[in-house]
Amino acid sequence: MKIDRVVIHADGAAEPNPGPAAIGAIIKDEQGRVMASISQSIGRATNNQAEYRAIIAALEKAIELGAKQVDIKLDSQLVVRQISGRYRVKSAALKPLYQQVKHLLGLVEGFTITHIPRQQNREADNLAYLALR
């Protein structure tokens, strides 16, 4: 099955911050059907590192599914603003993750990245916390 456009909801969690961390993501087609979900522990990280790792895992999966357009929804305003180019990435720990996201976005024809309230990102949030427990 070929998919042109997917919607990605991604989230990362670390408790405490930094501390044990996990990622969660859900990938849906334009009709809202779930194409894939990700819920995994990633070891020790900060919240922001986990957010980036969640986007990376979701983008890799979306590309594997053949997505040409990706609409990324995140509740991390910092990461959204960094990826969209409104903020510079100053943290040395985030720079390689940012570069990896930029590389993956270069493999698709187009993307959007949008900041959403946490309540609208429940599925991804739940998947991250499920892996954290």
Side-chain angles (χ1 to χ4, degrees):
M1 179 172 54
K2 209 69 176 147
I3 316 160
D4 278 338
R5 178 181 295 273
V6 296
V7 178
I8 293 172
H9 283 259
D11 201 11
E15 283 188 359
N17 183 22
I23 60 173
I26 193 145
I27 303 168
K28 295 181 180 181
D29 67 11
E30 288 181 278
Q31 287 71 44
R33 290 183 299 247
V34 175
M35 307 307 296
S37 66
I38 298 164
S39 178
Q40 66 189 57
S41 171
I42 59 166
R44 190 174 168 77
T46 65
N47 270 334
N48 290 333
Q49 288 170 316
E51 294 280 353
Y52 270 103
R53 297 269 303 272
I55 298 168
I56 290 164
L59 282 171
E60 287 172 344
K61 188 65 181 171
I63 290 164
E64 187 184 306
L65 291 168
K68 304 269 183 275
Q69 301 280 332
V70 290
D71 298 329
I72 305 165
K73 315 263 186 206
L74 281 183
D75 59 32
S76 168
Q77 200 167 48
L78 174 77
V79 175
V80 168
R81 288 183 175 174
Q82 287 177 337
I83 292 171
S84 63
R86 283 187 283 172
Y87 285 3
R88 282 201 350 257
V89 181
K90 295 177 186 165
S91 162
L94 294 183
K95 280 182 182 171
L97 298 170
Y98 168 81
Q99 292 297 340
Q100 198 173 350
V101 168
K102 284 305 213 182
H103 167 75
L104 291 166
L105 289 172
L107 301 177
V108 296
E109 290 171 12
F111 77 95
T112 63
I113 185 160
T114 311
H115 175 256
I116 58 171
R118 171 164 264 159
Q119 310 84 268
Q120 290 176 28
N121 209 24
R122 275 282 169 246
E123 285 177 294
D125 185 60
N126 290 343
L127 288 166
Y129 276 97
L130 191 68
L132 200 56
R133 303 282 170 248

